[in-house]
């Protein structure tokens, strides 16, 4: 898998945080706060793949860009950035050797916590 940092999504996430569109939840809340597959499908139907892509810090250019498999490391619920999602993705990115994504998540978390 050739997953790389999605710079556009990172800019989008930073913008959302600066605009106050963030949920300052707890570390383990992401399993409850993450959008369900049906929510993802509705979002894709309504907004399209480009907007879906903006909510994931990881992108795999080897995958078809109109499949969910192309996008990893979600950071929010299609409305707000979730602190718990950023913590989760930072940990998973580090675990799987995606250092650029891990480092971007760490800086995003610092931006969230500085507010």
């Amino acid at each position: 898998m050739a997953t790389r940092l999605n710079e556009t999504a990172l800019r989008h996430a930073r913008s959302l945080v600066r605009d106050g569109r963030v949920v300052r939840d707890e570390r383990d809340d992401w399993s409850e706060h993450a959008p369900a597959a049906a929510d993802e499908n509705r979002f894709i139907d309504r907004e399209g793949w480009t907007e879906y892509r903006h909510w994931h810090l990881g992108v795999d250019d080897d995958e078809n860009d109109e499949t969910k498999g192309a996008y990893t490391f979600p950071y929010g619920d299609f409305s707000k950035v979730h602190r718990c999602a950023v913590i989760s993705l930072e940990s998973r990115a580090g675990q799987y050797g995606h250092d650029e994504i891990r480092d971007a998540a760490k800086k995003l978390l610092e931006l969230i916590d500085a507010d």
Side-chain angles (χ1 to χ4, degrees):
M1 179 158 41
T3 301
R4 65 174 174 79
L5 176 63
N6 182 351
E7 296 279 354
T8 303
L10 180 58
R11 285 191 298 275
H12 183 246
R14 287 179 185 147
S15 176
L16 291 168
V17 172
R18 284 191 295 268
D19 290 346
R21 291 179 54 191
V22 61
V23 178
R24 288 176 176 80
D25 40 17
E26 296 300 315
R27 176 179 200 85
D28 296 326
D29 289 342
W30 186 235
S31 60
E32 294 176 22
H33 294 183
D39 296 326
E40 291 179 329
N41 293 340
R42 278 190 293 276
F43 183 83
I44 293 164
D45 288 343
R46 188 177 65 246
E47 303 294 335
W49 287 103
T50 299
E51 288 303 313
Y52 182 78
R53 178 184 183 120
H54 289 166
W55 287 92
H56 296 81
L57 289 188
V59 63
D60 185 343
D61 293 321
D62 292 339
E63 295 287 331
N64 181 326
D65 64 354
E66 291 193 357
T67 63
K68 290 181 187 179
Y71 309 106
T72 57
F73 302 111
Y75 62 81
D77 63 4
F78 307 123
S79 173
K80 295 181 179 182
V81 175
H82 280 252
R83 183 178 184 274
C84 62
V86 177
I87 292 169
S88 176
L89 80 87
E90 178 189 7
S91 176
R92 284 186 303 116
Q95 198 174 20
Y96 292 102
H98 300 293
D99 296 341
E100 190 176 23
I101 295 169
R102 179 204 60 210
D103 295 346
K106 181 177 181 176
K107 290 179 183 172
L108 184 58
L109 185 60
E110 290 170 358
L111 182 62
I112 291 168
D113 289 343
D115 218 16

